Amino acid sequence: MARNEELYNAILKGDRNTVQSIFQTAIDENRDVNELLDFSMIPAMREMGERFSRNEIYVPEMLIAARAMQAGLTLIEPILAQNNHKSLGTIAVGTVKGDLHDIGKNLVVIMLKGAGYDVIDMGTNCGIEKYDNAVSAGAQIVMCSALLTTTMTYMEQVVNHFKNNDTIKVVIGGAPVTQKYADSIGAHGYGRDANEAVKIVEKLTGAIA
Amino acid sequence: MKHSNLASLAKEQYRLKKRLVAPLMGMPGLKMINSTIKLGQQNFRIHYEAIKALADLYQPDIVFPLMDLSVEANAIGRYTLFPLDDTATLPHVTFNLSQVKILPKIDITADTRALGYAKVTALLRRNIVSKILKGVYVTGPYTLAALILGAEETARSVILDSQGLHALLDYTTKVIENYTELLIESGAQIVCILEPSASMLSSSHFEEFSGNYVKQISALCAVHKVDTVYHVCGNTTHLIKSMAESGVSGLSLDSPDSGVNLPQAITEVPEDVVIIGNINPVGKILTGSPFEVKEEVNELLESVDQFPNFILSTGCDLPKNTPIENIEAFMKAGREYRISAF
Ligand code: B12
């Protein structure tokens, strides 16, 4: 399938208007929006993730690309729901209890959406109950973000809470979090940035399927 | 014009084969005098006593006050919370860039808390031996903008509304300049500009939205023959050059765990700019043993042995519950180290 260069570049540039108009035209003309999503928008967001990982772009560029993509997603979400667009899985993402930092978490959310997952965004300050609710709503992976050394310890409680439930995987991240810490508390995965967050989820969902 | 007393002092020590030692610490002093962060940030006598206790015990080369990013934001009327024993924070309140013109034209030098911080500076200057330099903190222009507008919205505005953001930065810079003058009049010898939120920017955006405004503040300090230090926490690897070009005489950098490579950073700055850092404040010094702290400090000092323009410090503010014996180990290791490069 061919890539729509205009859409691809609009995501890279964070050009929300162009993204909206391309999707709106496709919807008006009854064209397949899945194709735009899968062959243009998702690859563009992946490219942004890679560039971010390589320190070629920074948070502002990521945020406006994310905003452009979100605008596109909002337009096509009703259609995707109708068409039973096959989701790759449901992922819950939230910043842990006591912590209000959400910029990194928001980037993880948008990258996962971009990669084709259904995402439950639990927001900030998430206690165990919020994670439980997300699991009840179908989440197979719960992702915890923390930016404070004082709140990252809460992740251990989340891991322990789901310890006896083999179907749920816990993935953690945030600036002070390391692979070593993830291993020490028995988390199923860790990602250094939003790009790695998607990669670890892809690995784990492959394992779940 | 740059005022760079810090670099000369660091070089002088280097010739004696020694290092200046100046951890960013204030909070542990509150533990020493059995008080709380809330009281320390609101009562200048308690604040002063906490810093004095630290200075008396450890005799660092520079004293710093409590790190408090809420002073200027609170003074211009933003909603501020004072938890019982945690640093003051600003819950997010909706604001947009079209409202910049209605931000209050506040005389920050008449704000109660700002005056409290000035008073602390004056007391420290008067009552602590003159060989210990008196540092103060001001919020950075971009970070103050982020506290007003929200960190995410500010980051987006860098691209989507640069003009609006510049108007806000003109405003925040004026507020900070006023506050800086108050602190200098009160006896500050080093003004450390706290700019953590700008670590999210690319180097060109950093220069445009932080560095250029910091230049104005460092120029003001230079007129008064006061040193300025640019403190940006997080991974600043890509920002070192821009930071060094803003007329400041010191860069205070975060720990290796955040991604900063200190020996590499020093090679990127001119000799009249000192690099200050960068023991992880929440690593071994918080959770390890005194022996581990000593090893970490020695390792850092060895890695920069050949550079005169270095001051041993922590990558960011030490938490209140940092074990006293670990701070002691940090100071002792710093004091006992001898340069072997020549
Ligand atoms: C912006 C900011 C704020 C904003 C937050 C706004 C918001 N809506 O998020 C405000 C002003 C509200 C704030 C408040 C506070 N902050 Co703050 N803040 C920062 C700052 C400057 C940037 C953080 C950030 O957004 N980075 C950019 C994002 C994109 O990076 P990221 O979050 O790491 O996310 C990436 C990866 O980690 C990963 N990731 C993130 N989450 C997840 C999750 C999973 C599952 C995975 C796989 C990956 C992943 O992907 C992301 C994209 O690549 C940092 C300092 C710095 N320079 O880093 C301090 C910092 C985090 N804050 C700090 C502190 C102490 C506080 C306060 C206590 C008060 C204070 N001193 O300012 C309060 C606490 C409030 C609370 N209860 O949470 C400290 C933390 C110290 C520590 N290590 O414990 C820091 C390090 C600054 C410092 N040195 O003092 N802060």
Coordinates of all heavy atoms in Angstrom, one line a residue, chain B residues 59-111:
Chain B
Q59 N 31.2 23.7 56.7 CA 32.1 24.7 56.2 C 32.3 24.5 54.6 O 33.5 24.4 54.2 CB 33.5 24.6 56.8 CG 33.5 24.9 58.3 CD 33.3 26.3 58.7 OE1 34.0 27.2 58.2 NE2 32.3 26.7 59.5
P60 N 31.2 24.5 53.9 CA 31.4 24.4 52.4 C 31.9 25.8 51.9 O 32.0 26.8 52.6 CB 29.9 24.3 51.9 CG 29.1 24.9 53.0 CD 29.8 24.7 54.3
D61 N 32.4 25.8 50.7 CA 33.0 27.0 50.1 C 31.9 28.0 49.7 O 32.1 29.2 49.5 CB 33.9 26.7 48.9 CG 35.1 26.0 49.5 OD1 35.8 26.5 50.4 OD2 35.4 24.8 49.0
I62 N 30.7 27.5 49.4 CA 29.6 28.4 49.0 C 28.3 27.9 49.8 O 28.1 26.6 49.9 CB 29.2 28.3 47.5 CG1 30.4 28.5 46.6 CG2 28.1 29.3 47.2 CD1 30.2 28.2 45.2
V63 N 27.6 28.8 50.4 CA 26.3 28.3 51.0 C 25.2 28.7 50.0 O 25.2 29.7 49.4 CB 26.0 28.9 52.4 CG1 26.7 28.3 53.5 CG2 26.1 30.5 52.3
F64 N 24.2 27.8 50.0 CA 23.0 28.0 49.2 C 21.8 28.0 50.1 O 21.8 27.2 51.1 CB 22.8 26.9 48.1 CG 23.9 27.0 47.0 CD1 25.0 26.2 47.0 CD2 23.7 28.0 46.0 CE1 26.0 26.3 46.0 CE2 24.7 28.0 45.0 CZ 25.8 27.2 45.0
P65 N 20.7 28.7 49.8 CA 19.5 28.7 50.6 C 18.7 27.4 50.3 O 19.2 26.5 49.6 CB 18.8 30.0 50.2 CG 19.2 30.2 48.8 CD 20.6 29.6 48.7
L66 N 17.5 27.4 50.8 CA 16.5 26.3 50.4 C 16.2 26.5 48.9 O 16.0 27.6 48.5 CB 15.3 26.4 51.2 CG 15.4 26.2 52.7 CD1 14.1 26.6 53.5 CD2 15.9 24.8 53.1
M67 N 16.1 25.4 48.2 CA 15.7 25.6 46.8 C 14.2 25.6 46.7 O 13.5 24.7 47.2 CB 16.3 24.4 46.0 CG 16.3 24.6 44.5 SD 16.8 23.2 43.5 CE 18.6 23.5 43.4
D68 N 13.7 26.7 46.1 CA 12.3 26.9 46.2 C 11.8 27.6 44.9 O 12.1 28.8 44.7 CB 12.0 27.8 47.4 CG 10.5 28.1 47.6 OD1 9.7 27.8 46.7 OD2 10.1 28.7 48.6
L69 N 11.2 26.8 44.0 CA 10.8 27.4 42.7 C 9.5 28.1 42.8 O 9.0 28.5 41.7 CB 10.8 26.2 41.7 CG 12.1 25.8 41.1 CD1 12.0 24.4 40.4 CD2 12.7 26.8 40.2
S70 N 9.0 28.3 44.0 CA 7.7 28.9 44.0 C 7.7 30.4 44.4 O 6.7 31.1 44.4 CB 6.8 28.2 45.0 OG 7.2 28.5 46.3
V71 N 8.9 30.9 44.7 CA 9.0 32.3 45.3 C 8.4 33.3 44.3 O 7.4 34.1 44.6 CB 10.4 32.7 45.6 CG1 10.4 34.1 46.2 CG2 11.0 31.7 46.6
E72 N 9.0 33.4 43.1 CA 8.5 34.4 42.1 C 7.1 34.2 41.6 O 6.3 35.1 41.5 CB 9.5 34.5 40.9 CG 10.9 34.9 41.2 CD 11.8 33.7 41.5 OE1 11.3 32.7 42.0 OE2 13.0 33.8 41.3
A73 N 6.8 32.9 41.4 CA 5.4 32.6 40.9 C 4.4 32.9 41.9 O 3.3 33.5 41.6 CB 5.3 31.1 40.5
N74 N 4.7 32.6 43.2 CA 3.7 33.0 44.3 C 3.6 34.5 44.4 O 2.5 35.0 44.6 CB 4.3 32.3 45.6 CG 3.4 32.7 46.8 OD1 2.2 32.3 46.8 ND2 4.0 33.4 47.7
A75 N 4.7 35.2 44.2 CA 4.7 36.6 44.4 C 3.9 37.3 43.3 O 3.4 38.4 43.5 CB 6.2 37.2 44.3
I76 N 3.8 36.7 42.1 CA 2.9 37.4 41.1 C 1.5 36.8 41.2 O 0.7 37.0 40.3 CB 3.5 37.2 39.7 CG1 3.7 35.8 39.3 CG2 4.8 38.0 39.6 CD1 4.1 35.5 37.9
G77 N 1.2 36.2 42.3 CA -0.2 35.8 42.6 C -0.7 34.5 42.1 O -1.9 34.2 42.0
R78 N 0.3 33.6 41.7 CA -0.2 32.3 41.3 C -0.5 31.4 42.5 O 0.0 31.6 43.6 CB 0.9 31.5 40.4 CG 1.4 32.3 39.3 CD 0.4 32.8 38.3 NE -0.3 31.7 37.6 CZ -1.3 31.8 36.8 NH1 -1.9 33.0 36.7 NH2 -1.8 30.7 36.2
Y79 N -1.5 30.5 42.3 CA -1.9 29.6 43.3 C -0.8 28.7 43.8 O -0.2 28.0 43.0 CB -3.1 28.8 42.8 CG -3.7 27.7 43.7 CD1 -3.7 28.0 45.1 CD2 -4.2 26.6 43.2 CE1 -4.3 27.0 45.9 CE2 -4.8 25.6 44.0 CZ -4.8 25.8 45.4 OH -5.3 24.9 46.2
T80 N -0.5 28.8 45.1 CA 0.7 28.0 45.6 C 0.3 27.2 46.8 O -0.5 27.7 47.7 CB 1.8 29.0 46.0 OG1 2.1 29.9 44.9 CG2 3.1 28.3 46.3
L81 N 0.7 26.0 46.8 CA 0.4 25.1 48.0 C 1.6 24.9 48.8 O 2.7 24.7 48.3 CB -0.1 23.7 47.5 CG -1.5 23.6 46.9 CD1 -1.6 22.1 46.4 CD2 -2.5 23.9 48.0
F82 N 1.4 25.0 50.1 CA 2.5 24.7 51.1 C 2.3 23.5 51.9 O 1.7 23.5 52.9 CB 2.7 26.0 52.0 CG 3.2 27.2 51.3 CD1 2.2 28.1 50.7 CD2 4.5 27.4 51.0 CE1 2.6 29.2 50.1 CE2 4.9 28.6 50.4 CZ 4.0 29.5 49.8
P83 N 2.8 22.3 51.4 CA 2.6 21.1 52.1 C 3.3 21.2 53.5 O 4.2 22.1 53.6 CB 3.2 20.0 51.3 CG 3.4 20.6 49.9 CD 3.5 22.1 50.1
L84 N 3.0 20.4 54.4 CA 3.6 20.5 55.8 C 5.1 20.3 55.8 O 5.8 21.0 56.4 CB 2.9 19.5 56.7 CG 1.5 19.9 57.2 CD1 1.0 18.9 58.1 CD2 1.5 21.3 57.8
D85 N 5.5 19.3 55.0 CA 7.0 19.1 55.0 C 7.5 18.7 53.7 O 8.3 17.8 53.5 CB 7.4 18.0 56.1 CG 8.8 18.1 56.5 OD1 9.5 19.1 56.2 OD2 9.3 17.2 57.1
D86 N 7.1 19.5 52.7 CA 7.5 19.2 51.3 C 7.6 20.6 50.7 O 7.0 21.6 51.2 CB 6.5 18.4 50.6 CG 7.2 17.5 49.6 OD1 8.3 17.9 49.1 OD2 6.6 16.4 49.2
T87 N 8.4 20.7 49.6 CA 8.6 22.0 49.0 C 7.3 22.5 48.4 O 6.4 21.8 48.0 CB 9.7 22.0 48.0 OG1 10.0 23.3 47.5 CG2 9.3 21.1 46.8
A88 N 7.1 23.9 48.4 CA 5.9 24.5 47.9 C 5.7 24.1 46.4 O 6.7 24.1 45.7 CB 5.9 26.0 48.1
T89 N 4.5 23.9 46.0 CA 4.2 23.6 44.6 C 3.1 24.5 44.0 O 2.3 25.0 44.8 CB 3.8 22.1 44.3 OG1 2.7 21.8 45.1 CG2 4.9 21.2 44.7
L90 N 3.1 24.5 42.7 CA 2.0 25.3 42.1 C 1.1 24.4 41.3 O 1.5 23.9 40.2 CB 2.6 26.4 41.1 CG 3.3 27.5 41.9 CD1 4.8 27.3 41.8 CD2 2.8 28.8 41.3
P91 N -0.1 24.1 41.8 CA -1.1 23.3 41.0 C -1.4 24.0 39.7 O -1.3 25.3 39.7 CB -2.3 23.3 41.9 CG -1.9 23.8 43.3 CD -0.7 24.7 43.0
H92 N -1.7 23.2 38.7 CA -1.9 23.9 37.4 C -3.2 24.6 37.4 O -4.3 24.2 37.7 CB -1.9 22.8 36.3 CG -2.0 23.5 35.0 ND1 -1.1 24.4 34.5 CD2 -2.9 23.3 34.0 CE1 -1.5 24.8 33.3 NE2 -2.6 24.2 33.0
V93 N -3.1 25.9 37.0 CA -4.3 26.7 36.8 C -4.4 27.2 35.3 O -3.3 27.6 34.8 CB -4.2 28.0 37.7 CG1 -5.4 28.9 37.5 CG2 -4.1 27.5 39.2
T94 N -5.5 27.1 34.7 CA -5.6 27.4 33.3 C -5.1 28.9 33.0 O -5.6 29.8 33.7 CB -7.0 27.2 32.8 OG1 -7.5 26.1 33.4 CG2 -7.0 27.1 31.3
F95 N -4.3 29.0 32.0 CA -3.8 30.3 31.7 C -3.5 30.2 30.2 O -3.1 29.2 29.7 CB -2.5 30.6 32.5 CG -1.9 32.0 32.1 CD1 -2.3 33.1 32.8 CD2 -0.9 32.1 31.2 CE1 -1.8 34.4 32.5 CE2 -0.4 33.3 30.9 CZ -0.8 34.5 31.6
N96 N -3.7 31.3 29.4 CA -3.2 31.2 28.0 C -2.5 32.5 27.7 O -2.6 33.5 28.4 CB -4.3 30.9 27.1 CG -5.4 32.0 27.0 OD1 -5.0 33.1 26.7 ND2 -6.6 31.7 27.4
L97 N -1.7 32.4 26.6 CA -0.8 33.5 26.3 C -1.4 34.8 26.0 O -0.8 35.8 26.0 CB 0.2 33.0 25.1 CG 1.2 32.0 25.5 CD1 2.0 31.5 24.3 CD2 2.2 32.6 26.6
S98 N -2.7 34.8 25.6 CA -3.4 36.1 25.4 C -3.6 36.8 26.7 O -3.9 38.0 26.7 CB -4.7 35.8 24.7 OG -5.6 35.2 25.6
Q99 N -3.4 36.1 27.8 CA -3.6 36.8 29.1 C -2.3 37.5 29.7 O -2.4 38.0 30.8 CB -4.1 35.8 30.1 CG -5.5 35.3 29.8 CD -5.9 34.1 30.6 OE1 -5.2 33.1 30.7 NE2 -7.0 34.2 31.3
V100 N -1.2 37.4 28.9 CA 0.0 37.9 29.4 C -0.1 39.4 29.8 O 0.4 39.8 30.9 CB 1.2 37.8 28.4 CG1 2.4 38.5 28.9 CG2 1.5 36.3 28.2
K101 N -0.9 40.1 29.0 CA -1.0 41.6 29.3 C -1.7 41.9 30.6 O -1.6 42.9 31.2 CB -1.6 42.4 28.2 CG -2.2 41.6 27.0 CD -2.7 42.6 26.0 CE -3.9 41.9 25.2 NZ -3.7 40.5 24.9
I102 N -2.5 40.9 31.0 CA -3.2 41.2 32.3 C -2.5 40.6 33.5 O -3.0 40.7 34.6 CB -4.7 40.7 32.3 CG1 -4.7 39.2 32.0 CG2 -5.5 41.4 31.3 CD1 -6.1 38.6 32.2
L103 N -1.3 40.1 33.3 CA -0.5 39.6 34.5 C -0.2 40.9 35.3 O 0.1 41.9 34.7 CB 0.8 38.9 34.0 CG 0.6 37.5 33.7 CD1 1.9 37.0 33.0 CD2 0.3 36.6 34.9
P104 N -0.2 40.8 36.6 CA 0.0 42.0 37.4 C 1.4 42.6 37.3 O 2.4 41.8 37.2 CB -0.2 41.5 38.9 CG 0.0 40.0 38.8 CD -0.4 39.6 37.4
K105 N 1.5 43.9 37.3 CA 2.8 44.6 37.3 C 3.1 44.6 38.8 O 2.9 45.6 39.5 CB 2.7 46.0 36.7 CG 2.1 46.0 35.3 CD 3.2 45.8 34.3 CE 2.7 45.6 32.9 NZ 2.0 44.3 32.6
I106 N 3.8 43.6 39.3 CA 4.0 43.5 40.7 C 5.4 44.0 41.0 O 6.4 43.7 40.3 CB 3.9 42.0 41.1 CG1 2.5 41.5 41.1 CG2 4.6 41.7 42.4 CD1 1.7 41.9 42.4
D107 N 5.6 44.7 42.1 CA 6.9 45.0 42.6 C 7.3 43.9 43.6 O 6.9 43.8 44.7 CB 6.8 46.3 43.4 CG 8.2 46.6 44.1 OD1 9.1 45.9 43.8 OD2 8.2 47.6 44.9
I108 N 8.1 42.9 43.0 CA 8.4 41.7 43.8 C 9.2 42.1 45.0 O 9.3 41.3 46.0 CB 9.1 40.7 42.9 CG1 9.1 39.3 43.7 CG2 10.4 41.1 42.4 CD1 9.6 38.2 42.8
T109 N 9.9 43.2 45.0 CA 10.7 43.6 46.2 C 9.9 44.0 47.4 O 10.4 44.3 48.4 CB 11.7 44.7 45.8 OG1 11.0 45.9 45.6 CG2 12.5 44.4 44.6
A110 N 8.6 44.0 47.2 CA 7.7 44.3 48.3 C 6.9 43.0 48.7 O 5.9 43.1 49.5 CB 6.7 45.4 48.0
D111 N 7.2 41.9 48.1 CA 6.5 40.6 48.5 C 7.1 40.0 49.8 O 8.3 40.0 50.0 CB 6.7 39.6 47.3 CG 6.1 38.3 47.6 OD1 4.9 38.2 47.6 OD2 6.9 37.3 48.0

